[in-house]
Amino acid sequence: MEQWVYEIDGNIPLTGEAKVQGSKNAVLPMLAASILQTGCVCFRNCPDIEDVRCMLQILQYIGARVRKEGEELYISCEQIEKHEIPAKLAGRMRSSVLLVGALLGRMGEAAMRYPGGCVIGQRPIDLHMEAFRALGSSIWDQEGLIIAKGCGLQGAAYTFPRVSVGATENAILAAVCARGETCLHNCAREPEIGHLCDFLRKMGADIKENGAKICICGKKKLHPCTFTVPADRIAAGTWLIAGAATRGEIALSGAPVSEMQALLELYGKMGGQYEVKSGTLLLHSRKLSNPAALVQTSGYPGFPTDLQSPFLALCATINGKSCIRETIFEDRFRAAAQLRRMGADIRIHGRDATVYGGILTGAEVLAEDLRGGAALVIAGLAAHGHTKVSGIGHLERGYMELCGTIEQLGGRCIRQKAN
Ligand code: UD1
């Protein structure tokens, strides 16, 4: 298979305006949810990224028809015939697991191999399975094949023992067409869950959200709708951090500012300045020079774990000592080893990283996961000299037109064949 790399010339402050892409983590559960109705749903602003392409392939495999017309994506779900997802497709992305909830709702059964996705920790699915059981489904693991059966799911009260974004979404998907009322407690509060509920409500679902409690009255049938995918708070945060690491001045149109408060607060403390003008987030990073005292990842509205690696790269460019604690995924400091190749002084002790920032220099580095890869691109943009990032397939799972956006912001990043 052909290998591609990003070739980056660094040490150029990013300046200019870019539009924020549609949200990956919002649209993936919505795509799974579209099989809960039997007509044709239309998505606007769907990001053109590998994870979406993979989810569409799975939907096509089980019987949906997918077509693109300009900016619009149509998914027809009149005939969903299969309930088993092949290992080759399921293994390519974590979100394939969301089809278990949706297939239970539509077909009363589902079967798939363990889902793939970024290697950032163990990522079990026990919480998903427990929630399905609470709704009356039987689900078991047969030598690595997850089999779920649940014709006539029955609404129930269920409290998640630990908070999980994916398990919350999966339980909602299974419950919207179950009989009777479901009340889910200790749900994740990430904005993408609210967006999924908005989408389901637009298809006729009856869902009430109240903080960590979500109540659903099951409906026999949902109907098609047209839905605009909201902007990606993690992609917007990535660009904010890239602007900050290069001490640039960028504008992000359509940035979901209200969902970015933890990052913006931190950015302000570090010396960055921002304002919002007619839906555009203006970021001035020229005076950014303060290291981060202690940043700790946590569930929303806390600092997102998905921005921890990019933030690590930013801290590596700031003189002084910054501290970052990862509390969600146990193996999410993988980018640190690659950043060290660029001269970063990052010391890891368990879930804590201490960064002594300074000047980075270009190097050949390997992206090993999506957000860790973004950290390497950011470091490359800030570094003196040339950086070559391989393993870019990880980045292309979640970032749309990455090189094009960098060029638009005056940076230099070219995608080319590895030699
Ligand atoms: C989602 C996001 C991901 C983000 C993460 C945390 C998508 C497609 N992905 O991932 O970008 O980093 O939320 O905000 O939306 N856990 C269990 N058992 C389970 C499920 C999860 O122990 O059954 C653990 C995980 O190992 C992890 C923690 O719970 O330590 C949080 O994971 P979860 O919120 O489920 O993350 P994802 O939904 O996989």
Side-chain angles (χ1 to χ4, degrees):
M1 215 171 80
E2 264 174 4
Q3 298 292 326
W4 293 77
V5 295
Y6 291 145
E7 303 274 1
I8 301 169
D9 285 315
N11 198 23
I12 304 170
L14 294 185
T15 46
E17 181 166 338
K19 180 180 175 284
V20 177
Q21 70 181 61
S23 166
K24 167 176 103 60
N25 288 356
V27 78
L28 291 171
M30 290 177 195
L31 291 172
S34 51
I35 67 166
L36 290 169
Q37 55 78 49
T38 53
C40 180
V41 288
C42 168
F43 289 102
R44 299 201 168 117
N45 198 37
C46 179
D48 186 11
I49 52 177
E50 195 49 38
D51 269 8
V52 165
R53 287 190 282 270
C54 180
M55 183 61 100
L56 293 178
Q57 270 185 32
I58 298 178
L59 290 175
Q60 280 172 308
Y61 174 86
I62 62 175
R65 278 177 297 125
V66 174
R67 83 174 193 279
K68 261 196 173 163
E69 263 176 40
E71 296 283 285
E72 294 177 341
L73 173 72
Y74 293 88
I75 303 177
S76 304
C77 301
E78 286 89 354
Q79 286 169 336
I80 300 296
E81 295 141 348
K82 299 196 181 90
H83 67 273
E84 188 166 342
I85 302 161
K88 208 170 71 203
L89 293 172
R92 270 169 53 194
M93 65 190 291
R94 173 79 182 170
S95 295
S96 53
V97 72
L98 296 170
L99 279 156
V100 176
L103 279 167
L104 274 174
R106 170 82 185 237
M107 312 280 280
E109 57 183 334
M112 67 177 279
R113 291 270 155 207
Y114 266 88
C118 286
V119 185
I120 52 180
Q122 282 197 3
R123 307 193 89 176
I125 57 164
D126 54 314
L127 299 170
H128 300 242
M129 292 169 85
E130 277 313 310
F132 294 143
R133 285 191 187 110
L135 293 169
S137 153
S138 42
I139 180 163
W140 65 95
D141 175 341
Q142 196 170 295
E143 290 160 11
L145 186 68
I146 304 156
I147 301 176
K149 291 199 189 286
C151 268
L153 291 184
Q154 177 67 51
Y158 179 69
T159 303
F160 289 99
R162 300 189 307 282
V163 179
S164 157
V165 176
T168 302
E169 292 168 343
N170 233 339
I172 294 170
L173 291 174
V176 280
C177 292
R179 268 180 286 130
E181 198 186 358
T182 297
C183 257
L184 302 170
H185 301 268
N186 199 26
C187 295
R189 294 162 175 238
E190 266 59 12
E192 293 74 20
I193 289 165
H195 298 318
L196 173 63
C197 292
D198 288 343
F199 173 66
L200 288 164
R201 274 191 287 260
K202 214 163 174 205
M203 294 203 299
D206 180 350
I207 306 176
K208 288 187 185 65
E209 297 163 81
N210 184 5
K213 179 177 167 193
I214 297 177
C215 289
I216 301 157
C217 274
K219 284 277 164 89
K220 270 199 180 132
K221 234 175 126 57
L222 300 184
H223 53 73
C225 73
T226 294
F227 197 81
T228 301
V229 178
D232 193 316
R233 66 190 171 103
I234 303 299
T238 304
W239 292 117
L240 179 154
I241 294 172
T246 59
R247 309 296 187 268
E249 281 196 10
I250 65 169
L252 298 174
S253 65
V257 177
S258 65
E259 299 176 359
M260 297 170 69
Q261 289 308 307
L263 175 63
L264 285 168
E265 196 181 307
L266 198 57
Y267 176 71
K269 279 189 191 157
M270 296 170 89
Q273 293 170 315
Y274 66 91
E275 57 186 319
V276 184
K277 263 194 193 157
S278 357
T280 297
L281 175 60
L282 306 173
L283 298 150
H284 310 273
S285 304
R286 295 207 194 280
K287 294 186 187 147
L288 187 133
S289 59
N290 307 327
L294 174 62
V295 179
Q296 180 162 319
T297 64
S298 60
Y300 189 82
F303 187 85
T305 171
D306 284 350
L307 290 178
Q308 179 263 104
S309 298
F311 195 76
L312 201 61
L314 168 61
C315 292
T317 70
I318 301 172
N319 284 327
K321 176 181 162 187
S322 294
C323 298
I324 303 172
R325 177 170 294 165
E326 172 59 55
T327 71
I328 311 283
F329 291 106
E330 67 278 9
D331 191 16
R332 217 172 192 181
F333 284 130
R334 287 172 151 236
Q338 301 295 317
L339 291 170
R340 280 190 206 113
R341 297 168 70 99
M342 303 177 72
D345 181 350
I346 303 174
R347 303 171 198 184
I348 311 285
H349 296 284
R351 56 186 194 157
D352 289 307
T354 310
V355 188
Y356 297 92
I359 289 175
L360 297 176
T361 44
E364 289 196 11
V365 287
L366 173 67
E368 294 176 281
D369 66 85
L370 167 60
R371 307 302 173 187
L376 302 181
V377 169
I378 290 167
L381 291 169
H384 289 247
H386 188 81
T387 294
K388 184 180 188 169
V389 183
S390 49
I392 64 170
H394 290 292
L395 281 134
E396 294 179 347
R397 284 185 35 223
Y399 291 99
M400 187 173 154
E401 289 164 12
L402 190 105
C403 291
T405 307
I406 292 172
E407 295 273 318
Q408 208 176 320
L409 295 173
R412 295 181 63 186
C413 177
I414 298 167
R415 182 184 194 272
Q416 60 185 36
K417 268 187 204 152
N419 46 35

